């Protein structure tokens, strides 16, 4: 059972998301609260996934994100917004958010997205992805430092990184590369350490900055 905590200042949004997720097999909404209740709720209920509004009148979403990720057993946190060009997208992802969803996400996709987050995958709406990538292109495209870091990876780690950048969870990466989930987790841990980042999203953004848009299928470091 995937335990989900919803944090949003709008009661209508909380009600809508709760209705969709409570009807999903294997998913339980443990609470739907406003920003001020996010941290105590997370401490008491220990959710697996938190959907967190990035813009709330009573508390800053980025501050709440930082506090959640400092918990002893931090949940996976995905940010919610109504703006596809939200200026906080980059800051949230760099701070450790595992994804970024628009509040008008197709309800039929939401259960899959929650499962992807719980399984260690990256979730970015297509419009948010374009915003992030275009932001990096505006900064000058490829960065030598990013390319150098990615160059430290083995061929297999690079394959895993590219599939991570596509938002695939570990199980799907394993299926694509004919690896066990445990082996995929090992590669993920290794590449995060080599890249000097703490989250899969940060690794994916680094890959974008390095110009890594597809896996090098010809290499195979076993």
């Amino acid at each position: 059972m995937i335990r989900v905590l919803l944090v949003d200042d709008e009661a209508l949004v909380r009600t809508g998301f709760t209705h969709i997720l409570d009807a999903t097999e294997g998913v339980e909404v443990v609470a739907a609260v406003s920003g001020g209740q996010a941290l105590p709720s997370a401490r008491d209920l220990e959710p697996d996934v938190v959907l967190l509004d990035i813009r709330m009148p009573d508390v800053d979403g980025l501050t709440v994100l930082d506090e959640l990720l400092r918990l002893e057993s931090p949940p996976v946190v995905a940010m919610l917004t109504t703006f596809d060009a939200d200026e906080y997208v980059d800051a949230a992802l760099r701070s450790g958010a595992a994804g970024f969803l628009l509040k008008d996400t197709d309800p039929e996709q939401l259960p899959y997205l929650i499962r992807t987050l719980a399984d260690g995958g990256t979730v970015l709406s297509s419009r948010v992805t374009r915003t992030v990538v275009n932001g990096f292109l505006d900064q000058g495209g490829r960065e030598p430092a990013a390319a150098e870091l990615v160059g430290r990876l083995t061929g297999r780690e690079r394959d895993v990184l590219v599939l991570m950048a596509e938002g695939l969870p570990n199980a799907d990466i394993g299926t694509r590369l004919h690896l066990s989930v445990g082996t995929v987790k090992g590669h993920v841990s290794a590449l995060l350490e080599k890249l000097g980042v703490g989250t899969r999203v940060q690794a994916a953004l680094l890959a974008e900055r390095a110009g890594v848009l597809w896996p090098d299928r010809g290499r195979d470091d076993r």
Side-chain angles (χ1 to χ4, degrees):
M1 183 67 71
I2 302 172
R3 296 164 55 81
V4 178
L5 172 64
L6 294 173
V7 182
D8 196 286
D9 63 308
E10 298 181 36
L12 184 59
V13 172
R14 297 197 301 267
T15 299
F17 273 66
T18 298
H19 177 73
I20 295 168
L21 294 177
D22 275 345
T24 302
E25 183 178 358
V27 177
E28 175 189 9
V29 177
V30 295
V33 301
S34 59
Q37 300 171 290
L39 193 58
S41 296
R43 283 178 177 150
D44 293 341
L45 300 172
E46 298 184 346
D48 303 302
V49 175
V50 175
L51 298 183
L52 173 64
D53 187 4
I54 200 168
R55 292 172 177 261
M56 295 178 286
D58 56 342
V59 64
D60 175 50
L62 293 177
T63 299
V64 175
L65 170 64
D66 183 64
E67 292 173 338
L68 289 172
L69 296 181
R70 290 177 182 271
L71 293 175
E72 184 175 350
S73 298
V76 175
V77 183
M79 311 305 292
L80 295 172
T81 184
T82 56
F83 306 98
D84 60 331
D86 198 310
E87 63 265 32
Y88 296 132
V89 168
D90 183 63
L93 296 179
R94 291 185 182 282
S95 295
F100 219 101
L101 299 178
L102 298 178
K103 293 183 183 181
D104 62 356
T105 296
D106 186 343
E108 293 184 357
Q109 294 182 358
L110 190 57
Y112 168 76
L113 297 177
I114 292 297
R115 293 190 180 100
T116 298
L117 288 166
D119 193 33
T122 300
V123 169
L124 290 175
S125 77
S126 59
R127 282 180 287 168
V128 170
T129 299
R130 287 196 297 271
T131 298
V132 173
V133 173
N134 288 340
F136 284 132
L137 293 177
D138 290 342
Q139 294 173 13
R142 295 188 180 192
E143 290 193 354
E148 181 181 348
L149 287 171
V150 173
R152 299 176 183 175
L153 304 181
T154 67
R156 182 59 80 201
E157 289 166 353
R158 187 184 176 98
D159 289 345
V160 172
L161 174 62
V162 172
L163 294 179
M164 281 174 49
E166 292 179 10
L168 298 184
N170 291 337
D172 290 350
I173 293 175
T175 299
R176 289 274 195 98
L177 300 179
H178 307 290
L179 300 172
S180 70
V181 173
T183 299
V184 172
K185 289 181 179 179
H187 285 312
V188 170
S189 296
L191 71 87
L192 290 179
E193 183 176 356
K194 288 182 180 181
L195 296 177
V197 297
T199 71
R200 298 165 72 100
V201 173
Q202 291 168 341
L205 294 179
L206 189 62
E208 291 285 0
R209 299 185 80 159
V212 180
L213 302 178
W214 54 84
D216 183 355
R217 302 296 185 184
R219 296 173 60 189
D220 185 7
D221 289 51
R222 290 188 176 94

